[in-house]
Amino acid sequence: MADELSSLHGESWRVEGQEVRGPGALAVRLGEPHDQHPHHFDLLLLADRDRPETAVPGCVTGIDGADQDPVRRGIEVWAATTGAALIELVAHNGRFAGHLDPGDPDGLPGWHAIHGGVVGWGTGGRFHDVQDWLVRNPVLPALADALDGDLGRDQLVGVQVLLGSGDGGSDAEVRVHGEVHRAGSEALAALDWPRVAEGAAHARTFVLLVRRVGDRAGAGARR
């Protein structure tokens, strides 16, 4: 993870105990495990490692079937989606992830958001179909009604989106602040994203909701 974040960021990240530390006060901390999957790791993303209120839960899940170690591939996907949003929170220059204002038609009404990358993987000739769909169809407006209401806090809320199909089944999962959001997941499953009949196609993205409209930016959101 330290190597992947260093490569993405262009600055040094290093392992110290149970943390991967970046420049300034940035850190990713290994969390308490909540999943028995051998390639699943719970994490805490910290804009300021000395301020617990800046922590955002996250996770890495290994991706089987790739031509490399599943954990390594999972970390690559995590870095391009979640890691990029965390770095952009502090960099605040649009280099690592996109910014969506509360009134942006691609955003979530009422929130300033940082949108990480959209990464896809799979097998067969249509492995990129879900990723292509997710790039063309902004998911936040489609989930707005399901996510409307109390998200648990008014600053630094992580929204992870995972969808895909293969081997006769499909997955659609929305996690809000580390927990599966049932209404969001059902709304995602109801969208008209491509289901492949042969092979597999999956995609993931991550959005960091920085603050509600009218709330002052948290210290972790400042440059």
Side-chain angles (χ1 to χ4, degrees):
M1 181 176 289
D3 291 344
E4 196 66 33
L5 288 171
S6 295
S7 178
L8 173 68
H9 197 174
E11 298 192 38
S12 177
W13 287 67
R14 64 197 184 279
V15 178
E16 292 196 14
Q18 296 294 301
E19 291 183 346
V20 177
R21 294 187 174 185
L26 282 170
V28 178
R29 183 176 299 161
L30 193 62
E32 294 295 328
H34 295 95
D35 193 301
Q36 299 303 312
H37 191 288
H39 297 151
H40 180 95
F41 302 93
D42 289 286
L43 305 170
L44 283 177
L45 322 175
L46 292 148
D48 185 336
R49 58 180 172 265
D50 296 321
R51 298 180 60 214
E53 67 270 22
T54 70
V56 178
C59 65
V60 166
T61 302
I63 297 175
D64 295 318
D67 295 330
Q68 63 185 116
D69 177 78
V71 174
R72 181 73 188 191
R73 178 59 179 145
I75 289 172
E76 289 177 353
V77 171
W78 174 88
T81 55
T82 308
L86 175 64
I87 293 172
E88 180 60 29
L89 175 67
V90 174
H92 205 68
N93 56 18
R95 176 184 169 193
F96 304 99
H99 289 261
L100 298 169
D101 291 328
D104 194 303
D106 291 346
L108 186 66
W111 288 86
H112 178 82
I114 296 176
H115 202 307
V118 176
V119 179
W121 66 93
T123 59
R126 296 183 58 193
F127 75 91
H128 53 77
D129 281 15
V130 176
Q131 179 186 19
D132 291 347
W133 182 91
L134 192 55
V135 169
R136 294 192 306 267
N137 296 271
V139 73
L140 286 178
L143 299 178
D145 287 345
L147 297 179
D148 187 35
D150 184 14
L151 296 183
R153 53 199 279 180
D154 290 330
Q155 298 181 35
L156 299 182
V157 179
V159 178
Q160 178 180 299
V161 174
L162 171 68
L163 66 162
S165 64
D167 299 322
S170 64
D171 296 303
E173 180 182 89
V174 175
R175 286 181 177 264
V176 175
H177 211 60
E179 300 293 334
V180 174
H181 191 282
R182 179 173 295 180
S185 298
E186 291 174 352
L188 181 64
L191 298 179
D192 191 26
W193 47 271
R195 277 71 165 174
V196 301
E198 296 182 3
H202 300 272
R204 172 176 163 167
T205 192
F206 180 87
V207 180
L208 184 61
L209 303 178
V210 180
R211 64 186 182 278
R212 287 186 188 272
V213 174
D215 293 331
R216 67 177 182 85
R222 298 190 188 112
R223 293 182 66 173

